[in-house]
Amino acid sequence: MLLALFQQTRKYTESLCAPLNIEDYIPQAVDFTSPPKWHLAHTTWFFEEMILTKFLDGYAVFDAHFGFLFNSYYQSVGEKAVRAQRGLMTRPTVDQVYQYRHYVDEQIQRLLSKEVSESVKALITLGIHHEQQHQELLLTDLKYTLSLNPIAPVYQPDFNLVDSCNAGTSEEKHWLSVKEGVYEVGYAGDDFCFDNERGRHKVYLQNFEIASSLVTNGDYIEFIESGGYRTFSYWLDDGWSWLNSHNITAPLYWKNIDGEWHYYTLAGLKRVNKQAVLSHISYYEANAYAHWKKMRLPTEFEWEVASTQFEWGQRWEWTSSAYLPYPGFNISDGAVGEYNGKFMINQMVLRGASVATSENHSRATYRNFFAPHFQWQFSGLRLVK
């Protein structure tokens, strides 16, 4: 079962790259994105470094240079290439990276043909979920890079993603009530979850109402056209500084052409679908919109408690919660301990999942996190009053 899941995950990553030309594998647009070739190699490096070199007797690394080239942020593993220069790695070639993947795949299969401990199985499971995270990042990073091409290239004609989710008619939208009380939050099962979800604990919530639907493009256009990006009183001071220093006037990928809003999608440049769910906004934009509506964003705990009452998974939903440890959280020893804990500063929590999230990689307790200025994920918002 574990081997089948491993093979399925590895195959899906490569299927995401199937529409690419060889030139698409290399560029890195900005330091917070990575090229497809790097994603293919880094997810492979994780299995090699964290598992094969430690638990498979006689394992020989595929290439001694790859540990340096494809480490991401693991300080305890050793030196690593400069993040902003990943797109300069024309060597190794794409073909060599695929050879690397297939070599490691064979060795993991060899390892799992033997009796392995539960701790090794847990590491392989973590590696699978790590790769699923990178599958979404591969798509969002690729979209960012392709969007900078003035001819608006098509990744796949039927892979729009942003227009695939409509918020329903106004008659279907309503407010869901949650009563004041003490609730339990955090992961409670025995199956896989990330360490930042553990430490199930009680929280006290006041009465609140949460929207049944996410904010749409049409909703957000009203905010733009009412002067939302020109009115400082809607914005946090840090957000107002970000907006002005980067000349932000709309969500990422949006442009006004002859008075009509368009956005870049993985299926090319399209007119903005007003009924589709809003995407690619920062926390600053989400918070400003909520302020304009005289409402607010949910806390991550309000979102989790209310999530049983609404459908979610179309967009990563910004919350008003800073990314902090749950009670009893401990950072694990070794490189695996660097996975989540050291990032619990200057980040905001997003809940749910998105249209780019891999299958079986979402839970109501999942705590995604990004800095408040990032827009390149499939992020949206849900209002609370």
Side-chain angles (χ1 to χ4, degrees):
M1 183 70 177
L2 183 59
L3 177 60
L5 182 57
F6 169 81
Q7 292 172 329
Q8 176 185 344
T9 303
R10 301 285 285 171
K11 183 177 179 181
Y12 180 63
T13 304
E14 295 187 11
S15 74
L16 291 175
C17 295
L20 302 181
N21 295 317
I22 199 69
E23 294 83 359
D24 298 324
Y25 282 88
I26 310 301
Q28 179 181 17
V30 286
D31 61 355
F32 61 81
T33 66
S34 298
K37 186 178 78 171
W38 189 88
H39 284 293
L40 289 169
H42 168 69
T43 51
T44 304
W45 168 88
F46 189 95
F47 288 107
E48 181 175 66
E49 174 62 35
M50 305 296 182
I51 300 162
L52 293 174
T53 60
K54 296 174 175 60
F55 302 107
L56 183 59
D57 291 339
Y59 178 75
V61 297
F62 180 82
D63 188 302
H65 296 295
F66 283 15
F68 170 77
L69 293 176
F70 301 122
N71 182 2
S72 54
Y73 52 70
Y74 295 89
Q75 303 288 348
S76 58
V77 172
E79 294 296 320
K80 54 192 179 299
V82 177
R83 176 172 183 167
Q85 296 178 0
R86 290 170 182 170
L88 301 180
M89 298 179 198
T90 58
R91 308 290 175 89
T93 65
V94 173
D95 183 61
Q96 287 172 313
V97 166
Y98 274 110
Q99 290 177 36
Y100 178 41
R101 286 182 65 86
H102 300 156
Y103 174 80
V104 167
D105 289 352
E106 290 172 2
Q107 299 304 310
I108 289 288
Q109 184 171 348
R110 180 178 153 215
L111 176 64
L112 287 176
S113 69
K114 309 173 186 295
E115 190 68 30
V116 296
S117 67
E118 291 303 313
S119 61
V120 171
K121 291 178 182 178
L123 280 173
I124 294 174
T125 301
L126 176 62
I128 289 169
H129 287 267
H130 169 257
E131 181 144 351
Q132 289 175 332
Q133 287 181 313
H134 276 271
Q135 288 165 351
E136 182 161 8
L137 285 169
L138 192 157
L139 287 173
T140 53
D141 292 359
L142 177 68
K143 181 175 182 179
Y144 191 95
T145 299
L146 293 178
S147 75
L148 300 178
N149 188 321
I151 66 171
V154 172
Y155 164 70
Q156 284 197 87
D158 58 349
F159 211 79
N160 184 318
L161 292 186
V162 290
D163 284 351
S164 62
C165 301
N166 289 336
T169 64
S170 58
E171 290 77 17
E172 294 171 330
K173 300 176 185 178
H174 56 280
W175 293 91
L176 306 167
S177 298
V178 177
K179 292 183 178 179
E180 172 186 14
V182 176
Y183 296 87
E184 286 196 343
V185 295
Y187 192 76
D190 296 324
D191 295 332
F192 175 84
C193 74
F194 289 112
D195 58 357
N196 63 5
E197 300 172 59
R198 293 202 177 275
R200 189 167 175 83
H201 60 287
K202 293 180 174 63
V203 295
Y204 174 77
L205 301 179
Q206 299 279 358
N207 291 321
F208 69 94
E209 291 182 279
I210 190 167
S212 63
S213 301
L214 293 164
V215 169
T216 66
N217 292 327
D219 297 330
Y220 201 79
I221 286 173
E222 293 180 16
F223 170 66
I224 297 173
E225 295 182 346
S226 74
Y229 281 84
R230 302 188 303 275
T231 308
F232 73 89
S233 59
Y234 301 142
W235 297 80
L236 295 168
D237 183 66
D238 199 43
W240 186 248
S241 297
W242 164 79
L243 179 154
N244 284 285
S245 62
H246 293 85
N247 193 30
I248 306 296
T249 59
L252 186 62
Y253 305 126
W254 285 41
K255 59 176 65 178
N256 196 300
I257 303 174
D258 297 328
E260 188 168 4
W261 286 107
H262 293 68
Y263 46 30
Y264 177 74
T265 78
L266 286 168
L269 189 65
K270 305 287 183 182
R271 286 180 178 154
V272 168
N273 178 352
K274 293 184 178 181
Q275 282 70 50
V277 175
L278 175 67
S279 189
H280 297 301
I281 58 165
S282 67
Y283 169 79
Y284 295 137
E285 291 165 297
N287 188 73
Y289 177 86
H291 193 178
W292 175 70
K293 293 290 288 186
K294 295 182 171 55
M295 299 181 196
R296 63 179 177 85
L297 302 177
T299 68
E300 66 166 314
F301 306 126
E302 288 173 333
W303 189 97
E304 184 174 324
V305 169
S307 64
T308 57
Q309 299 188 55
F310 55 76
E311 292 185 9
W312 52 269
Q314 298 178 334
R315 301 287 185 268
W316 287 107
E317 302 180 29
W318 285 109
T319 74
S320 61
S321 296
Y323 180 46
L324 296 170
Y326 280 177
F329 177 83
N330 289 304
I331 295 178
S332 302
D333 294 333
V336 172
E338 298 187 53
Y339 204 96
N340 282 311
K342 71 180 186 181
F343 298 112
M344 291 177 174
I345 183 70
N346 299 331
Q347 315 267 2
M348 301 303 290
V349 174
L350 301 95
R351 288 303 195 101
S354 84
V355 286
T357 304
S358 297
E359 189 176 355
N360 299 319
H361 189 73
S362 60
R363 294 172 295 282
T365 57
Y366 197 119
R367 305 175 74 205
N368 205 349
F369 55 92
F370 285 106
H373 65 280
F374 279 136
Q375 300 171 292
W376 97 112
Q377 293 301 303
F378 287 88
S379 49
L381 77 140
R382 188 185 302 270
L383 293 171
V384 162
K385 64 177 182 179

Short mmCIF file of all heavy atoms in Angstrom, two decimals, residues 41-73:
data_model
loop_
_atom_site.label_atom_id
_atom_site.label_comp_id
_atom_site.label_asym_id
_atom_site.label_seq_id
_atom_site.Cartn_x
_atom_site.Cartn_y
_atom_site.Cartn_z
N ALA A 41 13.88 17.51 -8.75
CA ALA A 41 15.09 17.02 -8.11
C ALA A 41 15.02 17.11 -6.59
O ALA A 41 15.44 16.19 -5.88
CB ALA A 41 16.30 17.80 -8.62
N HIS A 42 14.47 18.21 -6.07
CA HIS A 42 14.43 18.40 -4.62
C HIS A 42 13.57 17.34 -3.94
O HIS A 42 13.95 16.81 -2.88
CB HIS A 42 13.90 19.79 -4.28
CG HIS A 42 13.57 19.95 -2.83
ND1 HIS A 42 14.52 19.98 -1.84
CD2 HIS A 42 12.37 20.06 -2.20
CE1 HIS A 42 13.94 20.10 -0.67
NE2 HIS A 42 12.62 20.15 -0.85
N THR A 43 12.41 17.04 -4.51
CA THR A 43 11.55 16.01 -3.90
C THR A 43 12.23 14.66 -3.93
O THR A 43 12.02 13.83 -3.03
CB THR A 43 10.20 15.94 -4.64
OG1 THR A 43 10.42 15.83 -6.06
CG2 THR A 43 9.37 17.19 -4.38
N THR A 44 13.07 14.44 -4.91
CA THR A 44 13.85 13.20 -4.99
C THR A 44 14.97 13.21 -3.96
O THR A 44 15.22 12.19 -3.28
CB THR A 44 14.43 13.05 -6.40
OG1 THR A 44 13.35 13.09 -7.34
CG2 THR A 44 15.19 11.74 -6.56
N TRP A 45 15.64 14.34 -3.83
CA TRP A 45 16.69 14.49 -2.82
C TRP A 45 16.16 14.19 -1.42
O TRP A 45 16.85 13.59 -0.60
CB TRP A 45 17.23 15.93 -2.88
CG TRP A 45 18.10 16.29 -1.72
CD1 TRP A 45 19.44 16.10 -1.60
CD2 TRP A 45 17.67 16.91 -0.50
NE1 TRP A 45 19.88 16.56 -0.38
CE2 TRP A 45 18.81 17.07 0.31
CE3 TRP A 45 16.44 17.35 -0.02
CZ2 TRP A 45 18.75 17.64 1.59
CZ3 TRP A 45 16.38 17.91 1.26
CH2 TRP A 45 17.52 18.05 2.03
N PHE A 46 14.92 14.59 -1.14
CA PHE A 46 14.33 14.35 0.18
C PHE A 46 14.32 12.85 0.50
O PHE A 46 14.73 12.43 1.59
CB PHE A 46 12.90 14.90 0.23
CG PHE A 46 12.28 14.88 1.60
CD1 PHE A 46 12.34 16.01 2.41
CD2 PHE A 46 11.64 13.76 2.07
CE1 PHE A 46 11.76 16.01 3.67
CE2 PHE A 46 11.06 13.73 3.33
CZ PHE A 46 11.12 14.86 4.14
N PHE A 47 13.89 12.04 -0.45
CA PHE A 47 13.87 10.58 -0.23
C PHE A 47 15.29 10.03 -0.11
O PHE A 47 15.54 9.13 0.70
CB PHE A 47 13.13 9.88 -1.38
CG PHE A 47 11.64 10.08 -1.35
CD1 PHE A 47 11.01 10.91 -2.26
CD2 PHE A 47 10.86 9.45 -0.40
CE1 PHE A 47 9.64 11.10 -2.24
CE2 PHE A 47 9.48 9.62 -0.36
CZ PHE A 47 8.87 10.46 -1.29
N GLU A 48 16.21 10.56 -0.90
CA GLU A 48 17.58 10.07 -0.84
C GLU A 48 18.24 10.45 0.47
O GLU A 48 18.79 9.59 1.18
CB GLU A 48 18.39 10.63 -2.01
CG GLU A 48 19.83 10.13 -2.02
CD GLU A 48 20.60 10.60 -3.25
OE1 GLU A 48 20.82 11.82 -3.37
OE2 GLU A 48 20.97 9.74 -4.07
N GLU A 49 18.17 11.73 0.83
CA GLU A 49 18.88 12.23 2.00
C GLU A 49 18.26 11.76 3.31
O GLU A 49 18.96 11.33 4.23
CB GLU A 49 18.92 13.76 1.97
CG GLU A 49 19.51 14.41 3.21
CD GLU A 49 20.95 14.03 3.45
OE1 GLU A 49 21.70 13.86 2.47
OE2 GLU A 49 21.35 13.91 4.64
N MET A 50 16.95 11.84 3.42
CA MET A 50 16.28 11.54 4.68
C MET A 50 16.08 10.06 4.92
O MET A 50 15.91 9.63 6.07
CB MET A 50 14.91 12.25 4.73
CG MET A 50 14.96 13.74 4.51
SD MET A 50 15.87 14.59 5.84
CE MET A 50 15.67 16.28 5.31
N ILE A 51 16.09 9.26 3.85
CA ILE A 51 15.72 7.85 4.01
C ILE A 51 16.80 6.91 3.48
O ILE A 51 17.37 6.11 4.25
CB ILE A 51 14.37 7.57 3.30
CG1 ILE A 51 13.28 8.44 3.93
CG2 ILE A 51 14.00 6.10 3.39
CD1 ILE A 51 12.04 8.61 3.11
N LEU A 52 17.12 7.00 2.22
CA LEU A 52 17.99 5.98 1.61
C LEU A 52 19.40 5.99 2.19
O LEU A 52 19.98 4.93 2.46
CB LEU A 52 18.03 6.17 0.09
CG LEU A 52 16.71 5.89 -0.64
CD1 LEU A 52 16.83 6.26 -2.11
CD2 LEU A 52 16.30 4.42 -0.49
N THR A 53 19.99 7.16 2.37
CA THR A 53 21.37 7.22 2.89
C THR A 53 21.46 6.71 4.33
O THR A 53 22.55 6.34 4.78
CB THR A 53 21.92 8.65 2.83
OG1 THR A 53 21.10 9.51 3.62
CG2 THR A 53 21.97 9.16 1.40
N LYS A 54 20.34 6.67 5.02
CA LYS A 54 20.35 6.28 6.43
C LYS A 54 19.83 4.87 6.68
O LYS A 54 20.22 4.23 7.67
CB LYS A 54 19.51 7.28 7.24
CG LYS A 54 20.09 8.69 7.24
CD LYS A 54 19.17 9.67 7.93
CE LYS A 54 19.81 11.05 8.04
NZ LYS A 54 20.15 11.62 6.72
N PHE A 55 18.98 4.37 5.80
CA PHE A 55 18.29 3.12 6.12
C PHE A 55 18.43 2.01 5.07
O PHE A 55 17.94 0.91 5.30
CB PHE A 55 16.80 3.40 6.36
CG PHE A 55 16.55 4.38 7.46
CD1 PHE A 55 16.13 5.68 7.18
CD2 PHE A 55 16.76 4.02 8.78
CE1 PHE A 55 15.92 6.59 8.19
CE2 PHE A 55 16.54 4.94 9.81
CZ PHE A 55 16.13 6.23 9.52
N LEU A 56 19.10 2.28 3.96
CA LEU A 56 19.30 1.23 2.97
C LEU A 56 20.79 0.88 2.93
O LEU A 56 21.62 1.68 2.50
CB LEU A 56 18.84 1.69 1.58
CG LEU A 56 18.95 0.64 0.46
CD1 LEU A 56 18.13 -0.61 0.80
CD2 LEU A 56 18.50 1.23 -0.87
N ASP A 57 21.11 -0.29 3.40
CA ASP A 57 22.50 -0.73 3.47
C ASP A 57 23.13 -0.72 2.08
O ASP A 57 22.54 -1.21 1.10
CB ASP A 57 22.59 -2.14 4.05
CG ASP A 57 22.23 -2.20 5.52
OD1 ASP A 57 22.29 -1.13 6.17
OD2 ASP A 57 21.86 -3.28 6.01
N GLY A 58 24.32 -0.15 2.01
CA GLY A 58 25.07 -0.14 0.76
C GLY A 58 24.58 0.86 -0.26
O GLY A 58 25.02 0.82 -1.42
N TYR A 59 23.70 1.78 0.15
CA TYR A 59 23.18 2.74 -0.81
C TYR A 59 24.28 3.68 -1.30
O TYR A 59 25.05 4.22 -0.49
CB TYR A 59 22.03 3.57 -0.21
CG TYR A 59 21.51 4.61 -1.18
CD1 TYR A 59 20.70 4.24 -2.24
CD2 TYR A 59 21.86 5.95 -1.07
CE1 TYR A 59 20.24 5.18 -3.16
CE2 TYR A 59 21.40 6.90 -1.97
CZ TYR A 59 20.59 6.50 -3.02
OH TYR A 59 20.15 7.42 -3.92
N ALA A 60 24.34 3.89 -2.60
CA ALA A 60 25.29 4.82 -3.20
C ALA A 60 24.52 6.00 -3.77
O ALA A 60 23.60 5.81 -4.58
CB ALA A 60 26.09 4.13 -4.31
N VAL A 61 24.86 7.22 -3.36
CA VAL A 61 24.15 8.39 -3.86
C VAL A 61 24.32 8.49 -5.37
O VAL A 61 25.35 8.10 -5.92
CB VAL A 61 24.63 9.69 -3.19
CG1 VAL A 61 24.35 9.66 -1.70
CG2 VAL A 61 26.11 9.93 -3.45
N PHE A 62 23.30 9.00 -6.02
CA PHE A 62 23.31 9.09 -7.49
C PHE A 62 24.41 10.02 -7.98
O PHE A 62 25.11 9.72 -8.94
CB PHE A 62 21.94 9.58 -7.96
CG PHE A 62 21.82 9.71 -9.45
CD1 PHE A 62 21.55 8.59 -10.24
CD2 PHE A 62 21.96 10.95 -10.08
CE1 PHE A 62 21.42 8.71 -11.62
CE2 PHE A 62 21.85 11.06 -11.46
CZ PHE A 62 21.58 9.94 -12.23
N ASP A 63 24.54 11.17 -7.32
CA ASP A 63 25.56 12.14 -7.70
C ASP A 63 25.92 12.93 -6.45
O ASP A 63 25.05 13.50 -5.79
CB ASP A 63 25.03 13.08 -8.79
CG ASP A 63 26.10 14.00 -9.36
OD1 ASP A 63 26.71 14.75 -8.58
OD2 ASP A 63 26.30 13.97 -10.59
N ALA A 64 27.20 13.00 -6.14
CA ALA A 64 27.66 13.64 -4.91
C ALA A 64 27.34 15.13 -4.88
O ALA A 64 27.27 15.74 -3.81
CB ALA A 64 29.16 13.42 -4.74
N HIS A 65 27.16 15.76 -6.03
CA HIS A 65 26.87 17.19 -6.09
C HIS A 65 25.40 17.51 -5.78
O HIS A 65 25.07 18.64 -5.43
CB HIS A 65 27.20 17.74 -7.48
CG HIS A 65 28.65 17.67 -7.84
ND1 HIS A 65 29.63 18.37 -7.18
CD2 HIS A 65 29.29 16.95 -8.80
CE1 HIS A 65 30.81 18.11 -7.71
NE2 HIS A 65 30.63 17.25 -8.70
N PHE A 66 24.52 16.52 -5.93
CA PHE A 66 23.09 16.80 -5.85
C PHE A 66 22.65 17.22 -4.45
O PHE A 66 21.69 17.97 -4.29
CB PHE A 66 22.28 15.60 -6.34
CG PHE A 66 22.25 15.45 -7.84
CD1 PHE A 66 23.15 16.15 -8.65
CD2 PHE A 66 21.33 14.61 -8.46
CE1 PHE A 66 23.14 16.01 -10.02
CE2 PHE A 66 21.30 14.47 -9.85
CZ PHE A 66 22.21 15.17 -10.63
N GLY A 67 23.32 16.71 -3.42
CA GLY A 67 22.97 17.10 -2.06
C GLY A 67 23.12 18.60 -1.85
O GLY A 67 22.31 19.22 -1.14
N PHE A 68 24.13 19.20 -2.45
CA PHE A 68 24.35 20.65 -2.36
C PHE A 68 23.36 21.40 -3.26
O PHE A 68 22.77 22.41 -2.86
CB PHE A 68 25.78 20.97 -2.77
CG PHE A 68 26.05 22.43 -2.95
CD1 PHE A 68 26.22 23.26 -1.85
CD2 PHE A 68 26.12 22.99 -4.22
CE1 PHE A 68 26.46 24.63 -2.02
CE2 PHE A 68 26.37 24.35 -4.40
CZ PHE A 68 26.54 25.16 -3.29
N LEU A 69 23.15 20.89 -4.46
CA LEU A 69 22.31 21.60 -5.44
C LEU A 69 20.84 21.60 -5.07
O LEU A 69 20.12 22.58 -5.35
CB LEU A 69 22.48 20.97 -6.82
CG LEU A 69 23.84 21.11 -7.50
CD1 LEU A 69 23.85 20.35 -8.81
CD2 LEU A 69 24.18 22.58 -7.73
N PHE A 70 20.36 20.54 -4.44
CA PHE A 70 18.90 20.37 -4.30
C PHE A 70 18.41 20.34 -2.87
O PHE A 70 17.23 20.07 -2.62
CB PHE A 70 18.46 19.14 -5.08
CG PHE A 70 18.80 19.22 -6.54
CD1 PHE A 70 19.61 18.27 -7.16
CD2 PHE A 70 18.35 20.29 -7.30
CE1 PHE A 70 19.93 18.36 -8.50
CE2 PHE A 70 18.67 20.41 -8.64
CZ PHE A 70 19.47 19.44 -9.25
N ASN A 71 19.28 20.62 -1.91
CA ASN A 71 18.82 20.93 -0.55
C ASN A 71 18.06 22.25 -0.63
O ASN A 71 18.39 23.12 -1.43
CB ASN A 71 20.04 21.06 0.37
CG ASN A 71 19.66 21.32 1.82
OD1 ASN A 71 18.49 21.39 2.18
ND2 ASN A 71 20.67 21.48 2.65
N SER A 72 17.03 22.40 0.19
CA SER A 72 16.25 23.65 0.15
C SER A 72 16.64 24.55 1.31
O SER A 72 17.34 25.54 1.13
CB SER A 72 14.76 23.35 0.17
OG SER A 72 14.42 22.53 1.28
N TYR A 73 16.20 24.18 2.53
CA TYR A 73 16.46 25.05 3.68
C TYR A 73 16.96 24.27 4.89
O TYR A 73 16.95 24.77 6.01
CB TYR A 73 15.21 25.84 4.07
CG TYR A 73 13.97 24.98 4.26
CD1 TYR A 73 13.85 24.10 5.34
CD2 TYR A 73 12.91 25.05 3.37
CE1 TYR A 73 12.71 23.33 5.53
CE2 TYR A 73 11.76 24.29 3.54
CZ TYR A 73 11.67 23.43 4.62
OH TYR A 73 10.55 22.67 4.80
#
